[in-house]
Amino acid sequence: MSEPEQPKLTLLFVDDEASILSSLRRLFRQHGYNILTAESGAQGLEVLEKETVDLVVSDMRMPEMDGAKFLEEVRLRWPHVVRILLTGYADVTSTIAAINRGEIYRYIAKPWDDNDIVLTVREALEHKRLESENLRLLALTQRQNEELKELNASLEQKVAERTAELRQTLASLDQAHKELKKGFMATVRIFSGLIELRGGKLAGHSRRVAEHARDLARALGLDEAEQQDVFLAALLHDIGKISLPDALLERPFTALSPQEKVDFMRHPVRGQQVLMGVEQLMGAGRLIRHHHESMDGSGYPDRLAGLAIPMGARILAVANDYDALQMGTLILQALGPSQALEFIVRNRGHRYDPRVVDAFKDILREDISGMPERGAGASVLRSAAEEDSLIARRRFRSVPMTSDRLKEGMVLSRDLMHHEGYLLLSQGHRLDESLIKQLKEIEVIGERPLTVHIRIEERS
């Protein structure tokens, strides 16, 4: 793209000799200037009043108004016009007067050299352009300095006002965040309470599991966000059970029919699906999905094993089963707190993460001390230490039996595990007629016989 064409500059030549004006016109027209002429100072002033002129070249000796007087008048009325004087060698005194009074740019002696006079005019016009540009830039700089001065004068006030606005905004956002978080937690607790509204064994279960899970997460050094996910997952871990019938929820898992077990085992996935639409609960949903996985890979729904199970889910598994054992919703009998902990410890490394189990033992050590046992089988259960002591005093052997050989009063010498990897009865449990009947039904449903190890005292 070509640059815009610059406007032609206008030169005014003033001389009382027509031949000189003609020579100057011919010389400068070929250099692209607009040429104006005047034969006297008075005529030159008339031209300046009508035309825009960039440079004046005036002869010194003219009748009525000499060059010095003419250029002085030009300086007074059109100071931006560049002034050059043509003078002879004999006009030194008049030239000095013109320099002083007219403030001419330069004087040129007659007769002139064409190249010199053209170069002098060109330099004079360039000098004028530079002066004009300098004046423009100076004015621009001064204006910008004034604006900057005004800006600096009000900057502190503006900064203070803006800072106050930001603080107020941040305070409002912080309050809004607190209110939002408060409302969010209230909503989570409402969801958590939906399953408990059905009463029965599930009443209070989620709250107790959440408290234990939160304590475990802190003890194991999880960061704040991870602790939050564990707590939320614990409160909502049973939300996938909402669609299950009451009769199924009230019975131990080991007593369910195969189809009922299939339905029940879908609840972790349902729970995650329910929460998928809430971004803040996606992490908790992942923990809910995997809180029934086992360290040995025998759990569900994805049969994850070991460290593939999220730490939060491993924490939730311990906290959930500890409470479920006491409610009687995990195995065929309800255990007391210490027996529930013994169950957790016995399955350390098999069902539960050893690190989580050890931390849970430390947390419960003082709580378990002096706590009364509860559950139907509490009176017939002994701790592992008591069993070892009993065996040390009396000689027993472990005899494997099928269900048709079982009799009321027999005591298990080992944990009785279902072929799917779930505990049916714990070591030391005393059989009664109802339990023997349930075990036979489990054999029929599972189409696989159970081997029950019974403790038999050896007679000396």
Side-chain angles (χ1 to χ4, degrees):
M1 183 176 179
S2 60
E3 294 184 359
E5 185 178 351
Q6 296 295 328
K8 289 184 178 182
L9 298 176
T10 300
L11 309 182
L12 172 60
F13 297 105
V14 182
D15 199 301
D16 60 337
E17 295 184 31
S19 59
I20 293 178
L21 292 177
S22 179
S23 298
L24 291 171
R25 183 185 297 109
R26 286 195 304 272
L27 174 62
F28 282 94
R29 182 169 289 169
Q30 62 182 326
H31 292 285
Y33 298 109
N34 289 326
I35 307 300
L36 301 175
T37 60
E39 296 181 356
S40 67
Q43 189 178 354
L45 294 177
E46 290 177 2
V47 173
L48 286 167
E49 288 176 348
K50 298 176 182 179
E51 304 288 343
T52 300
V53 176
D54 297 291
L55 180 142
V56 173
V57 178
S58 175
D59 185 28
M60 182 62 200
R61 289 189 177 186
M62 294 185 296
E64 298 180 2
M65 181 184 293
D66 63 11
K69 179 62 178 176
F70 169 69
L71 293 178
E72 178 184 6
E73 189 68 21
V74 173
R75 178 184 69 81
L76 293 174
R77 297 172 64 180
W78 299 279
H80 62 281
V81 176
V82 182
R83 299 168 296 281
I84 295 178
L85 181 66
L86 284 176
T87 181
Y89 291 110
D91 298 329
V92 175
T93 302
S94 299
T95 300
I96 294 174
I99 292 174
N100 293 333
R101 292 159 56 189
E103 296 182 4
I104 64 173
Y105 172 76
R106 191 167 297 173
Y107 71 88
I108 300 174
K110 291 182 179 180
W112 65 78
D113 179 83
D114 286 351
N115 289 331
D116 287 344
I117 193 172
V118 170
L119 182 60
T120 299
V121 168
R122 186 177 298 164
E123 288 177 350
L125 291 171
E126 178 64 16
H127 179 74
K128 175 190 174 182
R129 187 191 68 79
L130 291 177
E131 280 189 341
S132 298
E133 182 65 14
N134 286 339
L135 290 173
R136 186 188 69 81
L137 293 177
L138 179 60
L140 176 63
T141 301
Q142 290 175 342
R143 185 171 66 254
Q144 290 176 339
N145 286 341
E146 289 298 323
E147 292 174 356
L148 183 60
K149 184 177 180 181
E150 293 177 2
L151 179 62
N152 288 336
S154 61
L155 184 59
E156 289 188 5
Q157 181 179 354
K158 290 182 179 179
V159 169
E161 292 174 356
R162 184 58 178 160
T163 301
E165 291 176 2
L166 289 174
R167 286 175 178 171
Q168 184 176 359
T169 301
L170 290 174
S172 299
L173 288 175
D174 184 60
Q175 182 62 30
H177 176 73
K178 290 179 180 178
E179 292 296 331
L180 185 62
K181 184 176 181 181
K182 182 179 178 181
F184 174 71
M185 290 305 301
T187 302
V188 169
R189 292 184 185 277
I190 290 173
F191 287 163
S192 173
L194 289 177
I195 189 69
E196 297 184 4
L197 289 175
R198 301 170 68 172
K201 295 180 179 180
L202 291 176
H205 171 63
S206 293
R207 292 191 299 275
R208 294 191 296 270
V209 172
E211 291 174 2
H212 285 312
R214 179 173 53 192
D215 292 342
L216 269 170
R218 288 173 179 168
L220 291 167
L222 272 65
D223 62 36
E224 186 174 345
E226 292 171 325
Q227 291 181 33
Q228 177 83 347
D229 281 345
V230 169
F231 183 69
L232 294 174
L235 285 174
L236 299 172
H237 73 280
D238 279 337
I239 196 169
K241 294 180 180 178
I242 289 179
S243 62
L244 298 178
D246 291 340
L248 189 151
L249 295 177
E250 290 292 324
R251 292 160 57 197
F253 179 81
T254 53
L256 302 179
S257 69
Q259 185 56 50
E260 288 174 330
K261 286 181 179 178
V262 170
D263 292 340
F264 184 89
M265 290 168 65
R266 290 181 181 141
H267 86 265
V269 176
R270 285 199 196 102
Q272 183 189 33
Q273 292 172 344
V274 168
L275 304 179
M276 283 180 63
V278 183
E279 183 178 354
Q280 297 91 329
L281 294 176
M282 292 182 66
R286 179 168 173 262
L287 303 186
I288 290 173
R289 179 185 181 95
H290 297 303
H291 78 281
H292 280 295
E293 305 285 2
S294 297
M295 292 296 288
D296 62 3
S298 63
Y300 62 89
D302 301 317
R303 293 195 174 274
L304 300 182
L307 298 180
I309 306 171
M311 172 57 79
R314 285 178 262 158
I315 290 173
L316 188 52
V318 170
N320 179 51
D321 285 4
Y322 175 71
D323 198 71
L325 286 164
Q326 298 176 67
M327 294 192 305
T329 58
L330 185 62
I331 60 176
L332 294 177
Q333 66 175 129
L335 304 181
S338 61
Q339 280 73 36
L341 181 59
E342 289 171 14
F343 176 93
I344 298 291
V345 173
R346 281 198 302 272
N347 285 276
R348 178 182 183 275
H350 164 61
R351 184 182 180 94
Y352 309 112
D353 183 344
R355 184 182 169 204
V356 178
V357 172
D358 294 342
F360 196 51
K361 284 169 58 181
D362 292 339
I363 291 172
L364 293 183
R365 183 174 288 116
E366 295 184 2
D367 295 339
I368 293 297
S369 179
M371 183 179 294
E373 299 296 330
R374 66 185 177 111
S379 61
V380 298
L381 292 176
R382 297 183 176 89
S383 68
E386 290 174 332
E387 292 293 340
D388 291 343
S389 177
L390 179 62
I391 292 173
R393 294 194 303 270
R394 301 170 62 182
R395 298 181 62 188
F396 294 92
R397 59 190 176 91
S398 180
V399 178
M401 294 185 179
T402 55
S403 62
D404 59 331
R405 296 176 57 194
L406 298 177
K407 295 181 180 180
E408 188 174 359
M410 287 184 172
V411 179
L412 271 65
S413 61
R414 301 182 187 177
D415 289 340
L416 175 59
M417 305 297 296
H418 191 273
H419 67 272
E420 293 181 353
Y422 305 105
L423 181 72
L424 295 175
L425 293 172
S426 59
Q427 173 189 347
H429 190 81
R430 190 177 298 276
L431 298 176
D432 56 24
E433 183 177 351
S434 175
L435 287 176
I436 294 173
K437 182 179 178 180
Q438 290 184 54
L439 293 177
K440 290 180 179 179
E441 291 176 351
I442 291 173
E443 284 184 325
V444 174
I445 293 172
E447 298 181 350
R448 185 179 299 186
L450 295 173
T451 300
V452 185
H453 291 266
I454 300 298
R455 189 174 64 206
I456 302 296
E457 182 178 356
E458 291 186 345
R459 297 182 180 179
S460 57

